[in-house]
């Protein structure tokens, strides 16, 4: 387990946020969650978020549709060809290779925010550049229960109430590789992931910060058969469900025919809400259509 809690990072003055009522951002990724499976599974927490927020079940992950490159795109706002993390394993190297572009954790730290990442797979180390995260949990071996990730996310919220938190649940993908996307076993895994998301939301409630938090639930890819990959619509489509102050209620973003939501937009939206400058190199754009009263 890699765990660090750093109190020594210097806090800078915070930028002006465009929606002041949003004080923090939580991004939850359910690995391998294909949107139609989410809708079929017993997912009361996610269904409640849909009613409470803006959503689409037609968002798109990266063209490669695999875990590590797609998560790095989700958390940097640039495509795999630009961020350079194009492999999908723990590399047998003595030093960790980091993306060519800053993660949202790095940018948020520069803005004086506290940052945390809790992930269920060991290969996420390229997202842990020193000095960018106040709190990190990475397992030595991939976790085999999303409840274990929820335990760690709850700890992170209790300990530091991070302004930017990323949580990764691995077991829907695991069920897909073992039993298949479309299997009943995977529906069971999705129901358990829903419970785990509910525990994160409850921890935010308990910490008294849920009402000032923007939350996105999304995924890194879907799948078909027992695998996932490039050029397959079943792998490429991901859910994107957002809730928080100022977010449109029960709003299906596919009402906007011109909006094609991509995983890089998750990073851009987080940066926008934290008042960070949006660099020209970003491939993502903030999903302004998810909000009431924001100039689109
Ligand atoms: Zn994955």
């Amino acid at each position: 387990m890699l765990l660090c809690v750093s109190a020594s990072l210097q806090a800078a003055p915070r930028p002006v946020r465009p929606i002041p009522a949003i004080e923090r951002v939580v991004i939850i990724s359910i690995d391998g969650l294909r949107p139609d499976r989410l809708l079929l599974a017993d997912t009361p927490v996610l269904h409640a978020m849909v009613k409470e927020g803006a959503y689409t079940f037609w968002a798109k992950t990266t063209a490669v549709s695999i875990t590590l490159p797609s998560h790095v795109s989700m958390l940097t706002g640039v495509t795999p060809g630009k961020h350079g993390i194009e492999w999908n394993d723990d590399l047998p190297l003595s030093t960790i290779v980091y993306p060519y572009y800053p993660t949202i954790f790095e940018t948020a730290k520069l803005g004086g925010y506290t940052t945390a990442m809790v992930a269920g797979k060991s290969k996420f180390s390229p997202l842990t550049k020193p000095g960018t995260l106040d709190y990190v949990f990475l397992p030595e071996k991939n976790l085999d229960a999303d409840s274990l990730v929820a335990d760690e996310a709850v700890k992170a919220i209790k300990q530091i109430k991070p302004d930017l938190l990323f949580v990764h649940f691995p077991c829907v993908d695991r069920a897909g590789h073992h039993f298949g996307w479309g299997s009943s076993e995977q529906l069971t895994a999705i129901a358990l992931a829903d419970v785990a998301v509910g525990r994160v939301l409850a921890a935010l409630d308990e910490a008294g910060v849920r009402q000032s938090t923007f939350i996105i639930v999304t995924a890194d890819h879907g799948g078909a058969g027992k695998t996932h990959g490039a050029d397959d619509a079943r792998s490429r489509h991901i859910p994107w469900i957002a809730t928080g102050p100022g977010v449109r209620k029960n709003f299906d973003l596919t009402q906007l025919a011109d909006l094609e939501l991509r995983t890089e937009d998750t990073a851009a939206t987080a940066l926008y809400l934290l008042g960070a400058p949006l660099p020209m190199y970003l491939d993502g754009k903030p999903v302004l259509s998810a909000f009431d009263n924001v100039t689109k």
Side-chain angles (χ1 to χ4, degrees):
M1 173 181 82
L2 170 62
L3 179 63
C4 80
V5 179
S6 168
S8 61
L9 295 163
Q10 293 296 311
R14 293 189 179 188
V16 175
R17 299 185 307 278
I19 302 176
I22 293 178
E23 295 177 9
R24 62 190 59 72
V25 174
V26 174
I27 298 168
I28 298 173
S29 175
I30 300 176
D31 203 311
L33 182 60
R34 206 175 74 193
D36 59 316
R37 306 300 289 160
L38 181 168
L39 291 168
L40 276 173
D42 181 17
T43 50
V45 172
L46 295 175
H47 274 80
M49 287 185 72
V50 165
K51 286 213 175 101
E52 198 188 314
Y55 60 90
T56 175
F57 298 107
W58 294 93
K60 278 175 125 177
T61 189
T62 61
V64 289
S65 303
I66 47 176
T67 301
L68 187 56
S70 296
H71 276 108
V72 176
S73 289
M74 182 194 297
L75 298 169
T76 58
V78 300
T79 57
K82 279 162 76 168
H83 63 60
I85 308 296
E86 299 193 80
W87 57 91
N88 198 29
D89 290 301
D90 276 315
L91 289 188
L93 302 173
S94 54
T95 54
I96 299 172
V97 179
Y98 301 109
Y100 292 133
Y101 289 85
T103 63
I104 54 173
F105 309 120
E106 183 166 357
T107 307
K109 281 302 300 173
L110 289 173
Y113 292 103
T114 54
T115 56
M117 177 171 92
V118 174
K121 289 183 176 176
S122 54
K123 63 187 168 192
F124 280 62
S125 54
L127 291 163
T128 62
K129 186 174 164 187
T132 66
L133 283 155
D134 296 293
Y135 188 110
V136 182
F137 174 84
L138 278 188
E140 278 166 18
K141 286 198 310 188
N142 293 347
L143 296 181
D144 57 6
D146 286 343
S147 60
L148 299 174
V149 175
D151 290 344
E152 298 299 332
V154 169
K155 267 189 221 167
I157 292 166
K158 273 192 181 157
Q159 284 184 29
I160 68 163
K161 285 189 204 171
D163 300 311
L164 175 61
L165 168 65
F166 169 66
V167 182
H168 164 258
F169 291 112
C171 292
V172 170
D173 178 69
R174 181 186 164 93
H177 287 294
H178 281 247
F179 302 107
W181 271 262
S183 66
S184 59
E185 289 90 345
Q186 196 189 40
L187 287 183
T188 303
I190 294 169
L192 292 172
D194 188 77
V195 171
V197 171
R199 289 185 56 209
V200 174
L201 302 185
L204 294 169
D205 273 328
E206 209 165 295
V209 297
R210 170 102 180 259
Q211 296 311 316
S212 53
T213 302
F214 177 76
I215 302 164
I216 297 173
V217 176
T218 186
D220 54 340
H221 54 77
K226 292 185 178 175
T227 191
H228 51 86
D231 297 327
D232 186 313
R234 297 161 297 184
S235 296
R236 193 92 196 259
H237 285 106
I238 53 171
W240 197 90
I241 306 167
T243 64
V247 176
R248 287 168 146 178
K249 303 269 182 249
N250 200 9
F251 184 76
D252 187 332
L253 290 158
T254 63
Q255 291 180 72
L256 309 168
D258 295 338
L259 176 69
E260 188 187 63
L261 204 154
R262 299 163 59 192
T263 199
E264 293 85 3
D265 298 338
T266 292
T269 305
L271 293 177
Y272 165 78
L273 291 172
L274 295 175
L278 296 175
M280 292 296 287
Y281 63 74
L282 273 192
D283 294 313
K285 294 194 289 273
V287 185
L288 302 183
S289 308
F291 300 92
D292 281 316
N293 305 320
V294 170
T295 308
K296 315 290 191 291

